[in-house]
């Protein structure tokens, strides 16, 4: 499915299902968006390590797509990927899972050049529509939390310490009960 819209200064963008051939461009865009969004929170080695796994990420996503997982991408009028979204069934419910939705937004990333253009709104719509959904967001990511709140998501519980490469940061569960 494709949706169209206008971005900053009339730039056109398109949201569509990514194909396996798009994965390297989409995942490279994700790496750039991580640098933009988290550059003040993580050191250079974090990004270098993440970027070094691009080949494995592509293969991982090829396997997921072969099993029916959809990855949505946003492109500008020149065909450059500026955003991505991924959603699906919740794989692991949080400990406080009573009454939580069965759909999870796993990823939503948009390059800064396309932020404020409606691309993130279009990606979110493609990925989850208006139905119930849960997601995890960095507790200190006010821009993302405000975006999700505008789309009906609310904090559930207290922030949770993250581990692994994200150690030292907290994740916040947000839930939308549905329209």
């Amino acid at each position: 499915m494709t949706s169209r819209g206008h971005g900053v200064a009339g730039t056109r963008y398109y949201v569509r299902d990514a194909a396996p051939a798009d994965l390297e461009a989409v995942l490279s865009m994700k790496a750039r968006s991580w640098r933009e969004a988290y550059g003040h929170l993580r050191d250079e080695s974090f990004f270098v390590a993440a970027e070094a796994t691009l080949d494995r990420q592509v293969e991982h996503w090829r396997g997921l797509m072969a099993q029916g997982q959809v990855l949505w991408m946003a492109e500008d009028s020149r065909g450059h990927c500026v955003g991505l979204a991924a959603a699906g069934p919740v794989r692991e419910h949080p400990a406080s899972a009573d009454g939580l939705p069965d759909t999870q937004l796993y990823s939503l990333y948009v390059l800064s050049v396309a932020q404020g253009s409606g691309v993130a709104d279009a990606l979110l719509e493609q990925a989850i529509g208006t139905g119930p959904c849960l997601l995890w967001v960095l507790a200190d990511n006010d821009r993302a939390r405000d975006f999700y709140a505008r789309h009906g998501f609310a904090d559930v519980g207290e922030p949770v310490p993250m581990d692994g490469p994200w150690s030292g940061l907290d994740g916040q569960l947000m839930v939308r009960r549905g329209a």
Side-chain angles (χ1 to χ4, degrees), residues 99-101 132-135 152-156 173-178:
L100 291 179
C133 184
L134 65 86
L135 61 87
F153 287 84
D155 292 352
V156 173
L173 176 64
M174 296 185 79
V175 174
R176 181 173 71 188
R177 301 291 177 188

Side-chain angles (χ1 to χ4, degrees), residues 1-3 13-17 72-75 119 122-123 126:
M1 178 147 183
T2 303
S3 62
Y13 66 84
Y14 305 89
V15 173
R16 65 176 175 85
D17 294 5
W72 291 271
M73 65 183 289
E75 342 179 81
V119 169
L123 283 163
Q126 285 294 112

